[in-house]
Amino acid sequence: MDDSVECGQCGAVGLEPGFVEDSGEGSRGFARWIAGPLERGVFGGAKRLGRTRWEIEAYRCPQCGHLELFARREM
Ligand SMILES: [Zn+2]
């Protein structure tokens, strides 16, 4: 998965692989995708106990800047 990724906006190939950063306190440095709609707890934070997390791969189009996101690996 790299050269075969095609931009969904302009159709360019050779998208640049990357990931979405999460620089929040206590975060591991990357954002994850969690199945199910967002539910907030008492303090406004997302409830995510027992939910499956997926690693997000983000491919950037060098032509138009569009991001193609894939949730690939279950964590
Ligand atoms: Zn594009």
Side-chain angles (χ1 to χ4, degrees), residues 39-69:
E39 291 175 54
R40 290 178 190 272
V42 201
F43 301 107
K47 286 188 190 173
R48 51 203 166 178
L49 216 64
R51 303 258 195 115
T52 304
R53 291 130 197 251
W54 293 74
E55 252 181 71
I56 301 173
E57 290 177 16
Y59 290 83
R60 192 184 73 87
C61 175
Q63 300 295 321
C64 72
H66 174 73
L67 289 181
E68 289 284 348
L69 299 179

